[in-house]
Amino acid sequence: MSKKIALVTGASKGIGFEVAKQLGEQGITVLVSARTKADADSAAGQLKELGIDALGVELEVTNGKHIAALAKWIGEEYGKLDILVNNAGIWAEPAKVEGAFETTFEVNTFAPYHITEALLPLLLESDAGRIVNQSSALGSIQFLLSNELAQRLATPAYAASKAALNMLTVYWAKKYEGTNLKINTVHPGLVKTRMGGEKAELSPEEGARTAVQYATLPADGPTGGFFYMDNELPW
């Protein structure tokens, strides 16, 4: 199969929806995942109306049975996966949500780990497998040390969960060095979503561009890096 297949997690709205849309506009078949099949099908339907080859798939990212079933189905249906964008994430403030630290890590760090591990065999079947982990500049230790705005915005759970995701990115990049697989982590910018708020500087369309850029890297593109647009960010 020559046509590329991409899976985007948390793709029913916001940045994830825009990532799926922009990948689909490049002729890539997009598997649009959401917590429920109804939400996934609704988002995929919107993309189909734009002429995009999209299919809704159910994936509650913390549900091991969902992950295993989806990996099995992709293998049977396509025999490979070309692009994985681990986009789903949450920001649960400890002051407002009981167990927020644990829940944040479960969604932002543990889920991408389990999803990626389940799909790696299919990504390695691709001639140009690409993994993009949607992180945040707030997960950069150096940025947090030096930037006053980051220090005001960061919460322990969110910042630590994204720093851990960055470490997983480096782990996988080194483990699969020398293969066709490229794995990077990206910062979308401060985006007008439910998480970013209305005062954010970027639209979801703009916030999706970095993930799309690194999901479609050429053979000589980087791996094991942390990026915002064309800029490499400090760990």
Side-chain angles (χ1 to χ4, degrees):
M1 180 181 291
S2 59
K3 190 169 185 179
K4 287 188 176 182
I5 311 298
L7 171 65
V8 183
T9 70
S12 63
K13 56 189 175 183
I15 297 173
F17 181 83
E18 287 295 335
V19 169
K21 177 176 177 285
Q22 291 175 31
L23 289 174
E25 288 172 342
Q26 297 187 36
I28 297 167
T29 296
V30 184
L31 306 180
V32 180
S33 92
R35 292 180 184 178
T36 68
K37 189 66 162 61
D39 286 345
D41 287 343
S42 175
Q46 294 175 56
L47 295 177
K48 287 178 183 177
E49 291 178 359
L50 300 174
I52 290 170
D53 186 11
L55 184 67
V57 294
E58 182 181 32
L59 179 62
E60 165 53 70
V61 296
T62 63
N63 188 317
K65 291 181 179 179
H66 280 196
I67 295 170
L70 182 57
K72 183 175 184 291
W73 178 81
I74 294 173
E76 293 172 347
E77 189 72 16
Y78 302 107
K80 65 162 187 173
L81 182 65
D82 299 286
I83 296 167
L84 168 62
V85 181
N86 283 311
N87 170 77
I90 62 168
W91 184 319
E93 295 184 37
K96 298 180 181 179
V97 182
E98 184 177 353
F101 206 95
E102 292 79 1
T103 300
T104 300
F105 262 81
E106 188 177 14
V107 175
N108 292 357
T109 310
F110 303 158
Y113 172 77
H114 291 300
I115 292 167
T116 301
E117 286 291 312
L119 294 171
L120 270 167
L122 293 171
L123 287 153
L124 289 167
E125 289 294 326
S126 171
D127 292 335
R130 302 289 182 263
I131 299 172
V132 175
N133 291 321
Q134 194 79 271
S135 186
S136 169
L138 298 180
S140 164
I141 295 171
Q142 289 298 320
F143 189 67
L144 199 57
L145 282 170
S146 60
N147 187 282
E148 290 185 7
L149 177 60
Q151 291 160 12
R152 291 200 304 271
L153 291 175
T155 59
Y158 186 80
S161 72
K162 292 302 187 179
L165 181 61
N166 290 350
M167 177 58 78
L168 288 175
T169 299
V170 174
Y171 164 77
W172 284 314
K174 296 305 292 183
K175 183 174 181 179
Y176 294 100
E177 196 170 31
T179 72
N180 291 329
L181 192 61
K182 295 186 183 299
I183 306 159
N184 293 288
T185 189
V186 301
H187 167 58
L190 193 57
V191 181
K192 290 184 178 71
T193 61
R194 185 172 62 177
M195 187 183 298
E198 284 302 314
K199 294 183 180 180
E201 58 188 3
L202 301 177
S203 67
E205 180 182 1
E206 292 169 320
R209 289 176 184 165
T210 303
V212 171
Q213 178 179 340
Y214 289 89
T216 55
L217 284 172
D220 61 352
T223 189
F226 185 15
F227 299 96
Y228 174 58
M229 305 259 181
D230 293 319
N231 301 311
E232 188 157 11
L233 301 179
W235 297 113

